[in-house]
Amino acid sequence: MCHYTHLSPQERDCIATLHAEGRSIAYIAAEIGRDSSSVCHKLKRNGHHGHFRACTAQRRADERRRRCRAKRRLSDPALAQKVRLLIMDRHWSLEEIDDISGSRVAAAASLSLPTILP
């Protein structure tokens, strides 16, 4: 199974330099050892009026990565158990639980099945 790795800042610099020199996408991809579709995607996603800036692309990638972090689970075991019982035994919806629990659950984590179930 092949695993994707994010572009490094050095790879982004290489893309920016070679793109500014007018090199083809296939050439750039071969130079950094990536698929040409990946290079094309990065140029389209982070290019602006035909220019690609490596530092801007890296900053945007870091921002997207931060926003994609996994949601935290309910850290209080007693509260997590109470929420599980309300869902499984009493068949309550997440909205009903959120209404009665007030800020206690909201402060612990956003209420969704991945934050509740083990």
Side-chain angles (χ1 to χ4, degrees):
M1 182 171 170
C2 184
H3 295 284
Y4 173 78
T5 56
H6 295 280
L7 290 178
S8 68
Q10 294 80 14
E11 288 172 312
R12 291 181 201 282
D13 281 337
C14 189
I15 290 172
T17 301
L18 295 174
H19 182 66
E21 291 174 1
R23 302 292 184 160
S24 71
I25 290 173
Y27 180 87
I28 297 170
E31 284 293 308
I32 65 171
R34 297 286 187 149
D35 192 81
S36 58
S37 65
S38 296
V39 174
C40 183
H41 174 77
K42 300 305 175 191
L43 289 170
K44 283 183 180 179
R45 184 175 208 175
N46 296 302
H48 184 68
H49 299 294
H51 300 286
F52 179 85
R53 292 205 165 97
C55 58
T56 303
Q58 186 64 46
R59 182 179 45 78
R60 287 179 179 170
D62 291 341
E63 289 169 0
R64 284 189 296 273
R65 199 171 303 129
R66 266 193 300 279
R67 287 192 307 261
C68 276
R69 295 287 161 99
K71 305 292 184 220
R72 56 191 172 139
R73 295 189 180 275
L74 287 175
S75 56
D76 179 357
L79 181 59
Q81 182 60 27
K82 179 180 177 183
V83 169
R84 276 191 220 102
L85 288 173
L86 288 172
I87 290 172
M88 298 169 102
D89 293 345
R90 297 189 184 173
H91 306 288
W92 282 29
S93 70
L94 295 176
E95 291 80 15
E96 290 172 314
I97 295 169
D98 208 27
D99 286 344
I100 65 150
S101 63
S103 63
R104 189 168 174 215
V105 173
S110 61
L111 192 58
S112 65
L113 290 178
T115 62
I116 298 167
L117 301 176

